[in-house]
Amino acid sequence: MKILKIEFSNINSLKGPSLIDFTAPPFTHSSLFAITGPTGSGKSTILDVISLALFNHVPRLGKISRNEILSKGAILTRNQKEAFAKVTYESKTGIYTSHWNISTARTGNLREYDMEIINEGTGAVLDLKKSDVPGKNEELIGLNYNQFIKSVLLAQGEFAQFLKAKKDERGELLEKITGTGIYRQLGKMAWEKHKLVNAEIQKQQDEIAVINKDLLEEEQLVEITAKFQEKEKNCLPLEEEIKSLEKNVELKNTIEQQLKEIDKISSEKKRAEDSLKEFIDGYGLQLQQHEKVRDFAEELRDWKRLTLDCANLDRDFKSRSQRKNETLQQLQDCLRDISGFTKLETLQEEVETRLEEFSEKVRNLQEELKNKGSEFKHLQQIFKTETRELACDLNEREPASTRKELQEIKAASEEKINTLLPKLQEVNLQETGSEKIRIKKNLLLAREAVSHSEKIDTIADEINRLNSEENKLLPLVKELPQEIKVAEGKVRTCRDRIEIISLKKQNELLLKDLEQHRAHLIDGEPCPLCGATNHPFAEGVPAKGDKLDEELKEAEENYQIWSGKLTAHKTTLNLHSNSLKEINRQKEARQQELKEQQRSLAENYRELQREGGTNWKKVCENLDNTLESLEKYEKQQRSLQCVETGLPLIEKMMEISAEGKELRAKLESIYTGKDINADTQKLQTRWTRLTELDKAITAEIGELEKKIETAGSQLTTLEKDLSGMVREKGFENVTLAGNALLPDPEYHKLYQARENIGREISKNSQSLDLLNSQLERSRQADVKDTKEELSLRQQESKSKLESLRAECQHLNRLLLNDRENREKIEKIKKEISGKEKEIKRWRLLNELIGDSTGKKFNDFAQDLSLSQLLHLANIRLRDLSDRYRLDKPEEDEDDGLVAIDEHMGGQRRSVKTLSGGETFLLSLSMALALSDLASRNVEINSLFIDEGFGTLDPETLDQTLDTLEKLQAESSKTIGIISHVDSLKERIATQIQLTRNGQGYSSLEIR
């Protein structure tokens, strides 16, 4: 994975748009660059932009949301309304751009952020929700957020601390750096799980112990069982006695209940007899009178019906007679309305003929008027179709005004055509269609020629730019071999001088003992070696090794300086040489493309060039003007044609309009309605309805007269027959007999009431007889003891029985509890047996990795991680320096990490004894190793190194930069160094400089 471009706007203190393009100069000339600037200027913001655009995370804040921005005032630059972060990167599957943005709505409220991914190969936006974008970037890059941060951002300061930490501190730091805290959690969880399942078994064993205390001894169990059986046997006689007493008490209660029931029924019988007497007093006479006439009740009912029918027929006859008079008046009114409608005096027998003739006359006039209107509309539609291209609307009420407007349009079109003819002298106006096709084809070719010409100019500009870059690089490439040669000589000289001084120092060490004695010789005192008292060589003792040490240090410093310069010159030469090769390759390709484009232009547009020259834009303009004039000419010709067609149509419409007005006036003089058929039919229907109604009423009156005569005759005959019958029953006339006759429902109701009272009296008499016999039998079976004496004896027996049953229940509960406890113990033992099989794996897991803090498994995992990290670090360190190799401490060594010095025969040294530059090399190799560990199978070609440079002395800083230049040259990675150290500006030419202004904002500049 390699970052190609970073683009952002209004992120933290960096206000406005900023672009860092790693595919453009100066990054293409040198992939090692520095991000410099004072504290707080926004150096780390560039890293925030990368993680924000890819994962919506910022290392110092975590996951970003609208609420997070509002509450912490982060990300969005102060007083700005929108911000975005965009990163273009290259992965195994292609080039993609991940885009994050946020903005403010018109209401002033901050919207939610949005994210998207663009496939730069196809230009398509991937169909993803914003929440799915970080996951898709993780899939494309091959790293999640935490792996990405550890792989791309190398904070070597953490590893400098890690190198010198004690074992326990180192474990905590390694856990923090690698993010492997899950192993500590697994160890704790294994211990807690074992504790939990073991606690459950212990709890169940405690429960068994508690239950055992409540179990009965074997002797107690036998004794309690015997007592229980004896008590149960003693309960049986008492139960029999209680049942007998209950039966006698129940008999006493039955006798009392029977006496009460006899009293109750006697009262009900008395009430029924009183009700019967009251009923006879109220309805007896009425029922007696009805029963007298019941034999000829049907004849009396017929008489009543005929009397009522005669009255109803008389009423209907009067009503129909009045209705006939009203209908005759309505017929006269309708005849008068028909005469007014037809404008002719009309008799009753002429109504249908006059209405039909008048309707036919009106319909004929309406049809003629309709035909004229249809003809007018047809001509109007033709006119609109023929003149649709004209800006002329038909005035239907005044066609003459439209005729005048057409004449004016005709004159204007002829004038415009005369104006256009001089511009179209080279065009065949008889074949305008083919001429337009020809002009459009030439115009298309001319525009293609313009585009072709612009492309040639662009290629030429690109060739000029490449020549300019080549001219800048050639002098540098020419000078660098000489500078490399000088640096190589200086390096050889410094190396030789270091060897010479080292030999001198070794010789000095051999003479060290003699020189020590020589320095202590005193005249007059014997020499401890030769015994002489005269010491002529005691004076002028050479100085100790301090001078040689200073010379050696100076020589080593010069060696380091010139080695760094040599590496820098070789790296620069390599970069410039590669750049020149790439420039020459691109220039040759562009020159070949330029020749091909020029040849294509000359061949494809030769005919067009003969007509209009090579000023393609002028040719396009002339063709555009000609085409426009031709289209205007065609438009005016069409307008003239429309006018010539429209004028005769207008004349015809004016003629039809006059005829239509004359017909309308004639129609309105005889009829002003809307629908002649409906109006005629309405009058016809009204006349017919009234005529039919008059006939019907006359027929009904005749029928009523016949019915009245028949009903009267039947009523007289029936009265004659009934007169003798009613007198025999004691009634003076038929009317009185008819009044005595009750309606059947009423008679049945009274009859049923009288029968019900009789049945109630009979039923009560039978019940009294039955109850008296039952009472006699109960008294015969009754005992002499009173009810109270029996209840007292019953209560005493129940008390004895309840006492025995209570003792039985107590004994039975003891037996049941003992049996349940024994079953419960067996059940718990089975559960414990099953759990002991399950706990075996948890006990084993706890023994292997478990403890209360998770330290056991965490130490094991961190030791494996440390071994793997040291292995990868030594691979990286071998590329940076061949002197040291990292290793874990042995048992007899300090618990800090150990550096093995290969130049000193594999001597093991504590990393605490290393110099600042050496410590930086080791910590940098550890940081690079973590990047390798986190990225695993993903190739990371973009690194950012943060922290630590401000604490380095100039010598160590030079050594570090030499190392990084070597790393960049060997791996072709893009490496960014983030620091505020000014001396970086002298060594690293490519820089991203950040500066602050007085308003709290920062700006970015690439040099």
Side-chain angles (χ1 to χ4, degrees):
M1 179 267 182
K2 185 172 186 178
I3 296 174
L4 304 178
K5 189 185 296 183
I6 304 171
E7 189 174 356
F8 59 94
S9 176
N10 297 329
I11 302 295
N12 293 335
S13 62
L14 291 168
K15 178 182 176 183
S18 300
L19 173 63
I20 304 173
D21 188 355
F22 295 111
T23 63
F27 298 104
T28 53
H29 299 154
S30 175
S31 296
L32 178 65
F33 62 92
I35 303 175
T36 64
T39 301
S41 60
K43 299 185 295 298
S44 296
T45 296
I46 297 175
L47 304 181
D48 292 346
V49 168
I50 298 172
S51 61
L52 181 65
L54 293 175
F55 300 103
N56 190 40
H57 268 69
V58 173
R60 292 166 290 178
L61 298 175
K63 188 174 181 180
I64 299 301
S65 65
R66 182 175 69 90
N67 293 334
E68 189 78 11
I69 295 172
L70 292 173
S71 62
K72 297 184 178 179
I75 304 300
L76 182 62
T77 304
R78 178 172 51 86
N79 298 330
Q80 301 304 304
K81 294 186 177 180
E82 61 182 5
F84 75 85
K86 188 188 297 184
V87 171
T88 302
Y89 62 88
E90 182 178 10
S91 66
K92 291 181 179 180
T93 58
I95 298 176
Y96 300 90
T97 296
S98 184
H99 188 193
W100 179 98
N101 69 85
I102 196 167
S103 61
T104 303
R106 286 182 294 179
T107 58
N109 297 325
L110 193 65
R111 296 189 181 96
E112 281 290 351
Y113 74 92
D114 193 20
M115 293 187 77
E116 64 179 11
I117 300 177
I118 301 171
N119 186 334
E120 294 295 337
T122 62
V125 178
L126 302 188
D127 185 14
L128 297 169
K129 298 178 182 177
K130 67 177 182 180
S131 57
D132 297 334
V133 169
K136 186 62 177 179
N137 280 321
E138 177 182 337
E139 176 187 337
L140 294 171
I141 296 171
L143 301 173
N144 60 28
Y145 169 73
N146 291 324
Q147 293 171 333
F148 180 84
I149 291 299
K150 293 178 177 65
S151 302
V152 176
L153 174 58
L154 307 184
Q156 64 83 28
E158 292 185 2
F159 284 97
Q161 180 184 2
F162 175 78
L163 287 171
K164 300 177 182 180
K166 294 181 179 180
K167 183 177 181 180
D168 291 341
E169 296 175 357
R170 184 169 64 245
E172 294 177 2
L173 286 171
L174 188 61
E175 182 180 336
K176 175 185 174 184
I177 292 171
T178 59
T180 53
I182 189 173
Y183 300 107
R184 183 182 298 277
Q185 297 176 18
L186 289 173
K188 288 175 67 177
M189 290 172 66
W191 180 81
E192 290 171 355
K193 181 65 177 179
H194 174 260
K195 180 182 176 183
L196 177 62
V197 295
N198 197 49
E200 290 178 0
I201 292 177
Q202 186 61 44
K203 182 179 177 182
Q204 289 178 318
Q205 289 174 342
D206 294 342
E207 187 178 353
I208 290 174
V210 171
I211 296 172
N212 277 327
K213 293 178 182 179
D214 296 332
L215 293 178
L216 296 173
E217 299 292 337
E218 191 64 31
E219 294 178 358
Q220 287 179 312
L221 182 61
V222 173
E223 181 182 353
I224 291 171
T225 303
K227 284 183 180 181
F228 174 72
Q229 292 173 352
E230 181 181 356
K231 297 288 183 183
E232 281 283 322
K233 187 176 181 181
N234 293 335
C235 287
L236 294 175
L238 284 172
E239 288 175 351
E240 291 295 328
E241 182 181 356
I242 289 169
K243 288 180 181 179
S244 177
L245 290 170
E246 285 178 350
K247 185 177 180 182
N248 291 330
V249 170
E250 185 179 351
L251 182 59
K252 294 284 185 184
N253 290 333
T254 302
I255 292 170
E256 290 177 357
Q257 185 65 31
Q258 286 172 344
L259 289 171
K260 290 179 182 179
E261 192 68 24
I262 288 170
D263 292 339
K264 177 184 175 185
I265 293 174
S266 297
S267 299
E268 290 177 354
K269 180 180 178 184
K270 180 68 171 56
R271 284 196 299 272
E273 290 172 346
D274 293 341
S275 297
L276 180 60
K277 184 176 180 304
E278 184 181 348
F279 180 83
I280 291 172
D281 292 340
Y283 302 102
L285 180 61
Q286 191 175 357
L287 280 172
Q288 185 180 3
Q289 291 291 91
H290 173 79
E291 288 172 349
K292 287 181 179 180
V293 299
R294 189 169 57 179
D295 294 338
F296 47 88
E298 287 300 321
E299 288 80 357
L300 284 174
R301 289 192 183 94
D302 290 341
W303 175 82
K304 284 184 176 182
R305 178 178 55 76
L306 286 171
T307 302
L308 182 61
D309 288 346
C310 287
N312 289 335
L313 287 171
D314 288 339
R315 187 176 61 253
D316 290 343
F317 181 78
K318 292 177 182 178
S319 174
R320 295 296 188 278
S321 298
Q322 184 181 356
R323 183 74 183 278
K324 179 171 177 62
N325 293 332
E326 292 174 356
T327 303
L328 290 174
Q329 182 61 41
Q330 290 175 357
L331 281 169
Q332 292 298 323
D333 294 339
C334 181
L335 189 60
R336 187 168 53 254
D337 291 342
I338 292 171
S339 298
F341 180 71
T342 59
K343 307 296 190 295
L344 296 171
E345 191 66 33
T346 306
L347 301 176
Q348 290 187 5
E349 60 273 11
E350 298 176 338
V351 168
E352 292 186 7
T353 305
R354 289 294 174 86
L355 285 174
E356 182 61 31
E357 291 174 352
F358 181 75
S359 176
E360 183 67 24
K361 181 178 180 181
V362 171
R363 281 198 298 271
N364 290 336
L365 288 173
Q366 288 178 336
E367 185 66 24
E368 290 181 26
L369 185 60
K370 182 180 178 182
N371 292 336
K372 292 296 180 183
S374 298
E375 187 177 358
F376 185 87
K377 287 182 180 179
H378 178 66
L379 292 173
Q380 179 185 2
Q381 187 62 39
I382 295 173
F383 178 83
K384 288 181 179 179
T385 303
E386 295 294 335
T387 61
R388 60 181 175 274
E389 296 185 7
L390 298 178
C392 177
D393 295 328
L394 175 63
N395 188 336
E396 298 178 9
R397 296 185 178 275
E398 294 294 336
S401 63
T402 305
R403 179 178 60 183
K404 181 178 179 183
E405 189 176 353
L406 287 175
Q407 291 171 347
E408 292 173 353
I409 291 172
K410 180 180 180 182
S413 296
E414 289 174 348
E415 183 179 352
K416 289 179 181 179
I417 287 172
N418 293 331
T419 304
L420 291 170
L421 286 175
K423 299 178 183 179
L424 300 171
Q425 292 179 355
E426 298 181 1
V427 178
N428 182 3
L429 298 178
Q430 301 301 320
E431 299 291 338
T432 55
S434 59
E435 286 293 288
K436 278 178 68 176
I437 293 172
R438 179 183 64 81
I439 294 170
K440 286 181 179 179
K441 182 178 178 182
N442 289 340
L443 180 59
L444 182 63
L445 288 172
R447 287 173 180 165
E448 290 177 357
V450 170
S451 176
H452 213 132
S453 178
E454 290 175 348
K455 189 173 183 180
I456 289 172
D457 294 340
T458 302
I459 295 171
D461 293 340
E462 180 69 13
I463 292 172
N464 293 333
R465 184 186 65 77
L466 291 171
N467 287 331
S468 176
E469 290 186 11
E470 183 181 24
N471 293 334
K472 290 179 183 177
L473 291 175
L474 282 174
L476 297 175
V477 172
K478 200 170 185 179
E479 294 170 0
L480 281 172
Q482 183 61 33
E483 293 179 0
I484 290 171
K485 187 175 180 180
V486 172
E488 288 175 343
K490 291 289 186 180
V491 168
R492 285 195 298 273
T493 302
C494 291
R495 191 186 300 115
D496 294 342
R497 176 146 182 82
I498 289 170
E499 292 176 358
I500 292 170
I501 295 172
S502 297
L503 289 173
K504 287 182 179 180
K505 193 169 181 180
Q506 290 175 0
N507 292 332
E508 185 181 76
L509 291 172
L510 294 174
L511 298 173
K512 183 175 181 181
D513 290 339
L514 293 176
E515 294 297 340
Q516 287 178 347
H517 287 295
R518 183 179 174 189
H520 292 88
L521 291 176
I522 301 174
D523 287 340
E525 293 184 4
C527 173
L529 294 176
C530 62
T533 58
N534 186 19
H535 312 295
F537 297 103
E539 297 179 356
V541 178
K544 296 181 180 179
D546 293 344
K547 185 176 180 181
L548 287 176
D549 287 340
E550 291 176 0
E551 291 178 358
L552 181 61
K553 182 178 180 181
E554 181 182 358
E556 288 177 344
E557 288 176 353
N558 290 333
Y559 176 76
Q560 291 291 340
I561 291 170
W562 284 105
S563 295
K565 290 183 178 179
L566 179 61
T567 300
H569 291 334
K570 287 182 177 180
T571 301
T572 305
L573 179 61
N574 185 35
L575 289 173
H576 290 346
S577 299
N578 291 337
S579 298
L580 281 173
K581 290 178 181 178
E582 180 63 20
I583 288 170
N584 287 326
R585 186 189 64 76
Q586 292 182 9
K587 192 165 66 171
E588 288 177 3
R590 292 291 182 273
Q591 287 173 345
Q592 181 64 30
E593 186 179 0
L594 178 63
K595 291 179 182 178
E596 182 63 26
Q597 293 293 337
Q598 288 173 341
R599 182 191 62 75
S600 176
L601 180 66
E603 291 179 357
N604 294 337
Y605 309 105
R606 185 179 293 110
E607 295 296 328
L608 195 61
Q609 188 174 359
R610 291 172 184 168
E611 296 181 9
T614 58
N615 189 346
W616 300 112
K617 291 185 179 180
K618 184 64 176 177
V619 171
C620 286
E621 183 180 349
N622 292 338
L623 289 171
D624 270 331
N625 292 336
T626 302
L627 183 60
E628 182 182 0
S629 297
L630 183 57
E631 288 174 346
K632 288 180 180 179
Y633 174 82
E634 285 184 327
K635 183 178 179 181
Q636 296 305 321
Q637 284 288 1
R638 287 195 299 271
S639 295
L640 278 177
Q641 184 64 35
C642 289
V643 170
E644 294 293 340
T645 305
L647 284 173
L649 293 173
I650 287 291
E651 296 291 345
K652 183 64 176 174
M653 280 191 284
M654 289 171 65
E655 180 183 344
I656 292 171
S657 179
E659 293 175 354
K661 289 178 181 179
E662 183 180 347
L663 283 171
R664 183 173 296 280
K666 186 176 180 181
L667 175 63
E668 289 176 353
S669 65
I670 63 171
Y671 175 70
T672 56
K674 294 183 178 179
D675 188 345
I676 185 61
N677 291 330
D679 292 343
T680 304
Q681 185 62 38
K682 185 177 180 182
L683 287 171
Q684 180 66 52
T685 302
R686 179 182 169 193
W687 174 259
T688 303
R689 180 178 59 79
L690 290 173
T691 304
E692 294 296 330
L693 182 59
D694 181 60
K695 292 178 181 179
I697 291 172
T698 301
E700 288 176 0
I701 290 173
E703 282 293 323
L704 284 172
E705 289 175 345
K706 291 178 181 179
K707 287 180 180 179
I708 289 171
E709 183 180 354
T710 302
S713 176
Q714 290 176 352
L715 182 60
T716 302
T717 303
L718 188 56
E719 278 184 356
K720 185 178 179 181
D721 294 337
L722 285 172
S723 295
M725 295 178 186
V726 299
R727 289 192 188 97
E728 289 178 2
K729 296 295 183 180
F731 295 98
E732 294 181 3
N733 52 46
V734 177
T735 302
L736 292 174
N739 293 335
L741 183 65
L742 294 173
D744 282 346
E746 186 178 351
Y747 167 72
H748 287 301
K749 181 179 179 183
L750 293 173
Y751 177 81
Q752 192 64 39
R754 185 177 64 185
E755 291 297 314
N756 288 340
I757 295 171
R759 282 195 294 271
E760 182 69 20
I761 293 171
S762 176
K763 177 183 174 184
N764 289 333
S765 298
Q766 293 173 0
S767 297
L768 283 172
D769 295 340
L770 178 61
L771 285 170
N772 286 322
S773 64
Q774 290 175 347
L775 177 62
E776 184 63 28
R777 286 194 298 271
S778 297
R779 281 174 174 170
Q780 290 175 0
D782 193 12
V783 296
K784 295 181 180 180
D785 295 335
T786 65
K787 179 180 177 181
E788 288 73 18
E789 290 173 344
L790 292 171
S791 297
L792 181 61
R793 287 170 57 193
Q794 183 184 15
Q795 188 63 36
E796 290 174 353
S797 299
K798 282 184 177 181
S799 296
K800 292 178 182 179
L801 181 61
E802 286 176 359
S803 177
L804 281 173
R805 282 180 175 172
E807 292 178 7
C808 289
Q809 286 179 352
H810 173 68
L811 295 172
N812 188 40
R813 174 50 55 192
L814 291 176
L815 295 173
L816 286 174
N817 287 343
D818 186 73
R819 184 164 61 249
E820 289 174 356
N821 287 335
R822 293 179 188 278
E823 290 174 355
K824 190 181 293 184
I825 289 172
E826 290 301 318
K827 182 180 179 182
I828 293 173
K829 286 181 178 179
K830 288 181 181 179
E831 290 178 356
I832 291 174
S833 176
K835 287 181 179 178
E836 295 223 343
K837 293 179 182 179
E838 293 181 1
I839 198 177
K840 183 177 180 182
R841 58 177 177 176
W842 296 115
R843 184 184 295 114
L844 179 61
L845 189 63
N846 181 57
E847 290 172 358
L848 292 174
I849 68 172
D851 64 75
S852 60
T853 62
K855 187 173 183 301
K856 182 193 294 185
F857 192 36
N858 186 65
D859 288 348
F860 175 75
Q862 297 306 338
D863 188 64
L864 292 179
S865 298
L866 180 61
S867 298
Q868 187 177 10
L869 191 63
L870 290 177
H871 172 70
L872 296 173
N874 285 326
I875 294 174
R876 285 292 185 181
L877 187 60
R878 190 162 55 245
D879 294 336
L880 301 175
S881 171
D882 61 349
R883 180 171 182 177
Y884 292 108
R885 181 163 51 86
L886 283 167
D887 194 10
K888 292 188 291 187
E890 297 178 353
E891 292 183 359
D892 58 344
E893 293 178 328
D894 180 66
D895 59 0
L897 293 178
V898 172
I900 300 175
D901 192 342
E902 300 292 356
H903 288 188
M904 297 296 290
Q907 179 183 359
R908 298 173 67 86
R909 294 171 55 188
S910 171
V911 293
K912 299 175 184 177
T913 65
L914 299 177
S915 65
E918 292 168 332
T919 300
F920 179 83
L921 286 177
L922 297 185
S923 63
L924 179 60
S925 67
M926 291 285 282
L928 292 170
L930 178 63
S931 175
D932 296 337
L933 186 63
S935 58
R936 299 173 188 261
N937 297 325
V938 179
E939 183 180 0
I940 303 297
N941 289 320
S942 297
L943 298 176
F944 294 87
I945 303 175
D946 197 4
E947 302 180 6
F949 293 94
T951 61
L952 299 180
D953 57 59
E955 177 185 357
T956 307
L957 182 62
D958 287 342
Q959 180 182 0
T960 301
L961 293 177
D962 290 343
T963 303
L964 292 176
E965 287 175 348
K966 180 180 179 183
L967 172 65
Q968 191 279 323
E970 293 175 352
S971 63
S972 299
K973 295 179 182 290
T974 299
I975 301 177
I977 300 172
I978 303 173
S979 180
H980 56 271
V981 178
D982 291 336
S983 56
L984 286 175
K985 300 178 182 178
E986 301 174 2
R987 287 293 306 269
I988 301 177
T990 303
Q991 297 178 18
I992 300 174
Q993 295 182 351
L994 294 106
T995 56
R996 293 182 297 181
N997 58 31
Q999 298 177 342
Y1001 301 126
S1002 300
S1003 59
L1004 180 149
E1005 183 180 3
I1006 299 174
R1007 295 184 178 179

